[in-house]
Amino acid sequence: MEIIPLGGMGEIGKNITVFRFRDEIFVLDGGLAFPEEGMPGVDLLIPRVDYLIEHRHKIKAWVLTHGHEDHIGGLPFLLPMIFGKESPVPIYGARLTLGLLRGKLEEFGLRPGAFNLKEISPDDRIQVGRYFTLDLFRMTHSIPGNLKMAPADAIPDNSGVVIRTPIGTIVHTGDFKLDPTPIDGKVSHLAKVAQAGAEGVLLLIADATNAERPGYTPSEMEIAKELDRVIGRAPGRVFVTTFASHIHRIQSVIWAAEKYGRKVAMEGRSMLKFSRIALELGYLKVKDRLYTLEEVKDLPDHQVLILATGSQGQPMSVLHRLAFEGHAKMAIKPGDTVILSSSPIPGNEEAVNRVINRLYALGAYVLYPPTYKVHASGHASQEELKLILNLTTPRFFLPWHGEVRHQMNFKWLAESMSRPPEKTLIGENGAVYRLTRETFEKVGEVPHGVLYVDGLGVGDITEEILADRRHMAEEGLVVITALAGEDPVVEVVSRGFVKAGERLLGEVRRMALEALKNGVREKKPLERIRDDIYYPVKKFLKKATGRDPMILPVVIEG
């Protein structure tokens, strides 16, 4: 048996794992990640799937644990890469998961009907090919059950998987926390986990995100109570931002707004899209309806609540534009309350802090964790992780869904148990892990890495291009256009370099023109003339300014 993580190991995001036995494969999830600060111009990150493209004929199923971006957001890119514009391979997911996926496929010009989307319950059993039997089990996480159903039937759209194979049983927890009081009333189905443990678990793959945090992760119901309290006490308008896919949290905000007589408006493309799908499928309840900003802007302040995008300080998000007074429809004013019902993803802390400071400067009351209990993680802390380890008592262990520090802390936690695993490996993307009844080891690697999505381009941005962009962003750009002819001409333009006076640019122009004339006179190739311009100018600017701008000489034959 081979287990090949192509994303989600040593990082947060891009979750995708390949399970292979002989000539059959099934894939678990297909997520994306968001760019870090040093990736200018990049919109999204998706995993490289060369291995799946090469072995597409072996793929028997694709299973989706839930509908968050880091688990399904890459599929509109990955499915066409692997299968083209259609495929009979079954893609299993719960109702909300597939509803969100359909919306994504349509957004990217793909027909959902061209793919074999199969709706399942998060407690179903699936037979995949000849070798895999998958028993799904519900796990609480920051994604809801269907609120149109009776409470007894409302099942959270988030699953772990018991994978039964010819060599033994693997338990994959999926994203989870053990919430005793979830919003939809349905707790994790730990009986299935315990049953698998009693029968014998060969390998546990478990969520390491909060392995550094002692204790228990707070319940979503505690956050709902705090949101109710702060919204009830707010004197003026209330603005709330959270992850657009966090339907549980959005529901809690809507319930509080309705309780205190506030109309709820939504702003932000992803917030509107997720909420529309959740409403249509019964995962979000609204007594009245959702309003637009235009409909609430003239209402008394105490009757207004606005749900907006921008929980990560994204520059084009609604909250960022409000904070920096760039929103066309509305502005923050003294007396407004802004609630950030989220925590920054690693790497986004500075962007979020800039937004918070600007909101304070505009006179708003700003509420954010941990100062206010307006957010709880969707991932298990140490005591919950210990319970999963005790229920499964695996022979082998693979911490997943976390940076290396999270994986290492989970490894140490497992080793501290009274019945620790025989062997724990720290997973790496692209590694091939071979599992037998007696052994668990890394035996090789497959091509892996990241593809950058920039606008409509996928994979056409390289590390070299990113390095050029960072260079231009940090040092600026000087463009020298030279016309090599009987009457040589040079033009110099700088951007983001220095507020260069005519003296500096004039010297650059003089040097470039001298090199150009010499080159024309000596009939040098254009490439040589370009080099004769580039190196002296680079040396001069470094000496004159102490800076190293990107210099782009363009020599044209006249």
Side-chain angles (χ1 to χ4, degrees):
M1 171 100 193
E2 291 180 343
I3 298 149
I4 308 169
L6 296 176
M9 289 291 186
E11 63 181 353
I12 304 291
K14 294 200 284 90
N15 295 291
I16 178 171
T17 306
V18 177
F19 294 85
R20 177 174 177 173
F21 190 86
R22 295 180 182 167
D23 61 345
E24 294 190 352
I25 284 173
F26 86 88
V27 187
L28 194 69
D29 292 329
L32 56 74
F34 295 100
E36 299 167 6
E37 198 158 335
M39 299 177 180
V42 175
D43 299 320
L44 302 169
L45 312 177
I46 59 173
R48 275 184 61 186
V49 289
D50 308 48
Y51 179 83
L52 290 177
I53 293 170
E54 181 183 350
H55 297 282
R56 63 168 70 88
H57 58 286
K58 297 184 177 78
I59 301 174
K60 302 303 178 185
W62 206 306
V63 180
L64 308 177
T65 59
H66 66 290
H68 283 162
E69 293 281 16
D70 59 331
H71 291 261
I72 69 167
L75 292 176
F77 305 99
L78 303 180
L79 294 177
M81 283 183 199
I82 298 166
F83 301 119
K85 293 187 176 181
E86 59 182 14
S87 171
V89 172
I91 301 173
Y92 295 99
R95 182 178 298 176
L96 179 59
T97 305
L98 293 187
L100 296 172
L101 178 57
R102 287 189 184 96
K104 288 180 176 300
L105 294 175
E106 289 170 352
E107 183 181 345
F108 284 84
L110 299 168
R111 290 190 307 109
F115 296 93
N116 188 12
L117 305 184
K118 289 187 171 291
E119 183 180 318
I120 53 171
S121 154
D123 271 317
D124 276 351
R125 170 172 284 191
I126 309 167
Q127 183 63 42
V128 174
R130 293 166 292 167
Y131 303 123
F132 299 106
T133 302
L134 310 185
D135 276 319
L136 282 74
F137 54 93
R138 68 176 181 262
M139 291 292 265
T140 50
H141 182 48
S142 49
I143 200 154
N146 191 306
L147 295 173
K148 282 184 179 177
M149 297 180 178
D153 300 319
I155 301 172
D157 272 31
N158 182 67
S159 296
V161 192
V162 177
I163 306 166
R164 303 186 192 280
T165 78
I167 62 162
T169 297
I170 301 168
V171 172
H172 192 299
T173 65
D175 289 17
F176 81 100
K177 68 178 183 182
L178 301 181
D179 191 339
T181 53
I183 293 295
D184 54 23
K186 300 301 289 186
V187 296
S188 297
H189 195 167
L190 296 181
K192 275 195 174 182
V193 181
Q195 180 184 351
E199 294 170 358
V201 173
L202 184 61
L203 173 66
L204 172 66
I205 305 173
D207 180 355
T209 312
N210 282 345
E212 294 177 299
R213 295 188 185 180
Y216 296 87
T217 299
S219 168
E220 193 63 30
M221 190 63 75
E222 295 178 44
I223 307 307
K225 290 176 180 177
E226 180 67 3
L227 287 169
D228 180 280
R229 186 185 72 82
V230 296
I231 290 169
R233 293 183 177 185
R237 298 179 303 178
V238 176
F239 294 79
V240 182
T241 186
T242 189
F243 295 106
S245 59
H246 200 331
I247 306 300
H248 264 157
R249 193 68 49 78
I250 292 170
Q251 183 65 74
S252 297
V253 171
I254 289 172
W255 281 339
E258 291 172 343
K259 177 178 176 180
Y260 296 107
R262 292 180 183 269
K263 304 293 185 186
V264 178
M266 278 193 177
E267 183 78 351
R269 189 173 63 89
S270 59
M271 184 76 72
L272 290 165
K273 181 181 71 174
F274 275 91
S275 296
R276 175 184 60 78
I277 293 169
L279 278 167
E280 289 174 358
L281 297 178
Y283 292 84
L284 194 61
K285 271 188 172 181
V286 181
K287 285 182 182 177
D288 183 5
R289 64 182 177 89
L290 297 176
Y291 291 79
T292 65
L293 285 188
E294 288 85 353
E295 290 175 312
V296 301
K297 66 180 182 181
D298 295 324
L299 290 176
D301 289 353
H302 67 278
Q303 294 180 13
V304 175
L305 185 144
I306 296 161
L307 274 158
T309 55
S311 65
Q312 299 304 304
Q314 308 95 311
M316 294 307 295
S317 66
V318 174
L319 190 63
H320 188 280
R321 285 182 283 143
L322 285 168
F324 288 88
E325 302 177 88
H327 199 281
K329 300 176 184 177
M330 192 165 280
I332 297 291
K333 62 184 181 182
D336 288 340
T337 297
V338 181
I339 302 170
L340 281 77
S341 188
S342 56
S343 291
I345 293 171
N348 292 343
E349 293 90 349
E350 286 189 20
V352 173
N353 287 338
R354 283 195 295 270
V355 168
I356 289 172
N357 282 320
R358 283 293 305 164
L359 291 168
Y360 273 125
L362 293 173
Y365 303 107
V366 191
L367 282 56
Y368 50 91
T371 309
Y372 294 87
K373 202 171 184 178
V374 292
H375 175 68
S377 172
H379 300 271
S381 298
Q382 287 180 356
E383 294 305 313
E384 297 151 273
L385 299 178
K386 287 179 185 178
L387 178 56
I388 294 298
L389 288 164
N390 276 330
L391 288 175
T392 56
T393 58
R395 182 169 187 178
F396 305 118
F397 180 39
L398 186 64
W400 154 85
H401 198 293
E403 298 172 0
V404 176
R405 63 192 179 117
H406 305 130
Q407 294 172 291
M408 287 300 301
N409 275 274
F410 204 174
K411 175 180 184 287
W412 295 332
L413 185 70
E415 290 170 348
S416 74
M417 304 297 289
S418 58
R419 295 177 63 186
E422 283 182 23
K423 187 175 188 179
T424 299
L425 296 180
I426 300 302
E428 302 170 7
N429 291 334
V432 178
Y433 296 101
R434 181 170 294 160
L435 178 67
T436 72
R437 290 185 177 93
E438 304 297 330
T439 63
F440 180 46
E441 57 190 344
K442 178 182 175 181
V443 295
E445 283 192 356
V446 301
H448 64 283
V450 62
L451 295 176
Y452 301 107
V453 179
D454 183 358
L456 299 177
V458 180
D460 54 356
I461 302 298
T462 64
E463 289 294 340
E464 291 77 12
I465 291 173
L466 280 182
D468 284 345
R469 290 181 177 182
R470 287 191 290 267
H471 188 179
M472 286 187 283
E474 292 166 4
E475 301 285 356
L477 172 68
V478 176
V479 180
I480 303 168
T481 307
L483 181 64
E486 291 184 6
D487 187 17
V489 178
V490 170
E491 291 291 337
V492 180
V493 176
S494 72
R495 291 289 183 269
F497 173 41
V498 291
K499 192 173 181 180
E502 275 303 313
R503 185 175 176 182
L504 184 64
L505 290 184
E507 181 61 19
V508 171
R509 191 178 298 109
R510 185 196 64 75
M511 293 173 66
L513 186 57
E514 181 180 337
L516 178 62
K517 287 179 178 179
N518 289 340
V520 170
R521 185 172 58 251
E522 297 173 17
K523 297 183 179 180
K524 292 181 180 180
L526 297 184
E527 292 80 5
R528 284 282 306 280
I529 297 174
R530 185 187 60 206
D531 290 346
D532 289 346
I533 293 172
Y534 175 82
Y535 290 107
V537 168
K538 180 180 176 69
K539 185 176 180 181
F540 166 73
L541 290 176
K542 181 70 173 178
K543 185 176 181 180
T545 67
R547 300 182 187 183
D548 184 26
M550 176 174 283
I551 300 167
L552 187 61
V554 181
V555 183
I556 305 167
E557 191 168 5

